[in-house]
Structure formats: structure tokens, C-alpha cells
């Protein structure tokens, strides 16, 4: 099993969750709850970028 990639995936998942929760718990996030799915998509894309960056650095 490739432990490094699994750890990177877990970090990327938590980064995306943290970004989403961080945005949604701001005043701006509460005002724009109608765009929740777009914000979630942006957080997922950001998590993929974090994972790709970590793979580039540690890969």
C-alpha cells in the first residue's frame, strides 16, 4: 500500500472540508447560502490543488 499517497489524500480531504467550513462560517458565507453548491465545488477544486501540490512536493 502506498502510505504517502493515502496520507496526502486524507490531508487534501480535510483541507477541502476546512476551506468549506471556513467560508460558510463567515458573514459572507452566511449571506450567500444560496450558492452553497458552488462554494462546495470551489472547496473541492481547492482540495484537489492542495493534494496535487503535496504530490509535487513529496512525490
Amino acid at each position: 500500500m502506498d502510505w504517502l499517497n493515502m496520507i496526502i489524500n486524507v490531508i487534501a480531504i480535510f483541507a477541502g472540508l476546512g476551506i468549506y467550513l471556513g467560508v460558510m462560517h463567515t458573514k459572507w458565507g452566511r449571506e450567500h447560502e444560496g450558492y452553497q453548491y458552488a462554494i462546495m465545488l470551489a472547496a473541492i477544486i481547492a482540495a484537489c490543488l492542495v493534494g496535487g501540490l503535496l504530490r509535487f512536493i513529496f512525490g
Side-chain angles (χ1 to χ4, degrees):
M1 178 178 267
D2 190 6
W3 287 100
L4 180 62
N5 281 328
M6 188 170 76
I7 291 169
I8 288 173
N9 286 341
V10 170
I11 291 170
I13 288 168
F14 281 114
L17 180 63
I19 291 168
Y20 174 74
L21 290 176
V23 169
M24 293 308 291
H25 284 261
T26 63
K27 181 180 176 186
W28 184 88
R30 286 189 295 270
E31 290 174 356
H32 294 88
E33 284 183 356
Y35 300 108
Q36 180 175 357
Y37 292 113
I39 295 168
M40 189 182 306
L41 178 62
I44 291 170
I45 291 170
C48 291
L49 292 174
V50 167
L53 181 65
L54 288 174
R55 283 193 203 325
F56 179 73
I57 292 172
F58 296 110

